[in-house]
Amino acid sequence: MFELIKARLRHGYQAIPNPLQAQINPAFPGCPFLAADADLPALAALCPTGAFSEKGLDLGKCTFCGACQRKYPEMIDFKPDFRLASDSREALYIAPGTQYQARFASPNTKLFQRSFALRNVSAGGCNACELELGASTNVNFDMGRYGIEIVASPRHADALILTGPISRSMAEALAETWKAIPAPKCLILCGCCAISGGVFAPSVQLDRSFLAHWPASIYIPGCPTHPLSIVHAIHSFMGAK
Amino acid sequence: MANPILIQSPDQLEFTTFTQKLRELMQSGYTLLHCFGSDEGLMYALLGKSGDVQLLCSTFPPGKEYSALTVDFPAFSMYERSLYEDYGIRAWGHPQLKVLKAFTDDHADHNDYNFLASESPALHEVGVGPVHAGVIEPGHFRFICRGEIVEHLEIKLGYQHRGVERLMLKGDIRTKNCLAESIAGDTSIGHALAWCLVLEGLAGTKAAGFHTRMIALELERIAMHLSVLSALSADVAYIMGQNMFAALRTTVINSSLAICGSRFGKRWLTPGGVNYSISKAQADTLSKTMEEVRIQVTDCCEALFNSSSVLSRFDDTGILKIQDALALGLTGITAKSSGIFTDARMDYPLSDEISFTALCENSGDVWARAHLRYREIIQSLDLVSRNLERLDPSAQLCVALEDFAPDSIACGIVEGYRGRIVHLCKTDPAGKPLWYKILDPSFTNWQALALVMRNGQISDFPICNKSFDLSYSGSDL
């Protein structure tokens, strides 16, 4: 008993006061700026997931590995800003000469303003996004303060939050879980693998046909997604005042 | 002995000579490190014993049939199942010769899997997964129970199969950093380091940034052990422990972020060295943070291991006997908690500069696995500070890799936080990678979970599972 009190006193208050406005370490690679004169073919040659094209950078494919920034720091700069998510796939493309900004064009209807229950399905996820999603509920990030919770049953969920590139053997279980969530419901793609297949995109062992039938409402880039990015994304979508 | 190990392509033995040699080595105390087939139509077995590593190679057995080595050496059990699934090689006499991933090249059908079943009216079955109640990876567990007591547990994985070994060979293997880090994202550093070692072994390059790499590896171990202690606390309703260990883990992984930009140490390592060094100022901050973590971990663990409600759940739950752990060739926390004195940092050291002795527990129960994690956290904190002292901030970040040696096999062995990680790669006569093989300790260690559940309460399954904390993606690849 006394050991516990001693440990608790030393431990102190650990919650981040406002996760939406938190200061993150400058080493964190977040929202990128792509220079207007960036040599896109040179950047594309370095990128392990083919995130660069003539359109610019696709944040849905980016693993934030930093290979491009380390070689061409004058062309691309990942700013320490965790507000990475958007509500459309197109919004994740960054044209040369622009600074990426999170975009939530149409904050959700009033449906989920104060309460939002998530059911996670890991479909080939490497356990990094899964751990970060779990961390979003811990004492530091505590997304429960905004009414966002992770529930055990799809019957209790408002949204399915998908992690991983959807391995072929999880395709059926994913579809079944989605079916078990009562409408109205939405789909959240958490992490580079879920959005685009990531490093696993060229693998024949994926089956991403599920995503052709069901459009996603939130796209959260990252490899893995930072808990602050997750909290910001879902909170922005809820449109809470 | 050096690690990574570079081996000239070994002679192809006759299959009978191969199995005979294998039996001799196993009987003389060698440990099976890996056993696998390749598309060349060859079978390989990698064995090790205090500093000596042997790689045996043979053609497939005639008619792809032979009598199972598992019968005498249970350590072959999972490997023979894998050979059966991938190359159709039948090991006769194997007690459980079934597929692991329920896969053929163009079809995944888990519904066809043949689970052990009983028609006894006294027994019932409980199926769990692949989608679980929490935020974890997918896998299926099938229990056969007599009331509350588990008679048998069969673990069916394969849902995470992404074809990592084949992806490694698509394009230039030197650019596969992100892939290596995603084999099991919770062991990013462990797997990335093993991958780096293999490439450096093939290129004959001595990598820069040794101490930075060791700090990265130990930070990962500290963070993940804290994660397990948090989850174990949650499972026995010790909420204070759940929250405090989780917050301490945040502190540790944020220290990794401060150096390389990723809380999981992704993008930190690269073949030939590291992408991010630790500056003097960063080293001072890290050192101070780790000192505070040491005090708090000690306080929290003293509280945890003195709580009678926690002890009543941890003690004598899920006991893994040392003879089972030895026979199955298990590694890492799983083996060390049952009294096996093994650790890749000691058996296959990457450098002689810093001496290392493995820690062990004897009781093999949940308490042993939890308590060993506590002791390993403290040991890793020591290793971090010893490596910080030796850090040279002005040293080169990374050296360029030479061309790969032709017709060779390189092997890298790393003690990840779960146990021994083994990566191997073979080059063809032009020095181009021919195959790449990955072994996560979870692949064999899952058997321990099935064993300890026998005659246990089904309600003890969550804490037994957490206490081993095995990887699904690392096992399925």
Side-chain angles (χ1 to χ4, degrees), chain B residues 322-336:
Chain B
I322 183 169
Q323 51 269 45
D324 291 336
L326 269 178
L328 290 169
L330 308 183
T331 75
I333 290 278
T334 304
K336 287 182 272 188

Side-chain angles (χ1 to χ4, degrees), chain A residues 10 119 124 127 132 140 167, chain B residues 132 159-160 186 250 263 292:
Chain A
R10 174 108 199 176
R119 169 66 247 202
N127 203 24
E132 290 297 50
N140 305 106
S167 52
Chain B
H132 298 276
Y159 297 93
Q160 294 281 69
D186 42 30
T250 305
R263 301 192 342 142
E292 180 62 27

Side-chain angles (χ1 to χ4, degrees), chain B residues 229-280:
Chain B
L229 289 176
S230 170
L232 278 172
S233 301
D235 274 353
V236 299
Y238 185 73
I239 305 304
M240 195 78 91
Q242 176 193 357
N243 289 330
M244 291 195 294
F245 288 121
L248 284 168
R249 169 172 177 267
T250 305
T251 308
V252 175
I253 57 182
N254 283 353
S255 303
S256 295
L257 185 146
I259 297 162
C260 72
S262 162
R263 301 192 342 142
F264 290 73
K266 292 197 175 196
R267 74 196 225 145
W268 198 342
L269 311 189
T270 198
V274 293
N275 281 326
Y276 300 91
S277 62
I278 304 174
S279 70
K280 183 77 182 65

Side-chain angles (χ1 to χ4, degrees), chain A residues 22-140:
Chain A
Q23 281 298 312
I24 197 163
N25 192 292
F28 177 75
C31 296
F33 171 76
L34 187 60
D37 58 350
D39 180 355
L40 291 170
L43 292 167
L46 287 173
C47 183
T49 50
F52 288 99
S53 65
E54 64 278 9
K55 283 164 81 178
L57 169 63
D58 176 4
L59 218 50
K61 287 186 178 169
C62 178
T63 60
F64 299 83
C65 71
C68 51
Q69 189 181 13
R70 283 191 297 273
K71 181 129 186 220
Y72 301 115
E74 70 288 352
M75 290 189 202
I76 184 154
D77 183 18
F78 288 88
K79 305 261 166 61
D81 182 353
F82 56 81
R83 294 167 195 87
L84 283 160
S86 284
D87 62 358
S88 80
R89 185 71 181 84
E90 292 69 42
L92 300 180
Y93 286 92
I94 306 152
T98 53
Q99 163 73 50
Y100 177 78
Q101 265 196 319
R103 200 168 74 197
F104 283 87
S106 50
N108 188 253
T109 57
K110 288 175 181 160
L111 275 177
F112 306 120
Q113 253 183 25
R114 290 173 192 281
S115 156
F116 202 37
L118 313 174
R119 169 66 247 202
N120 169 237
V121 174
S122 165
C126 72
N127 203 24
C129 283
E130 287 79 359
L131 281 170
E132 290 297 50
L133 180 59
S136 306
T137 65
N138 73 15
V139 282
N140 305 106

Side-chain angles (χ1 to χ4, degrees), chain B residues 1 33 50 73 80 104 159 179 254 330 350 397 426 450 476:
Chain B
M1 184 209 62
L33 301 178
S50 56
F73 306 103
E80 290 191 325
T104 59
Y159 297 93
L179 183 63
N254 283 353
L330 308 183
L350 295 167
L397 268 181
K426 181 179 180 180
D476 295 345

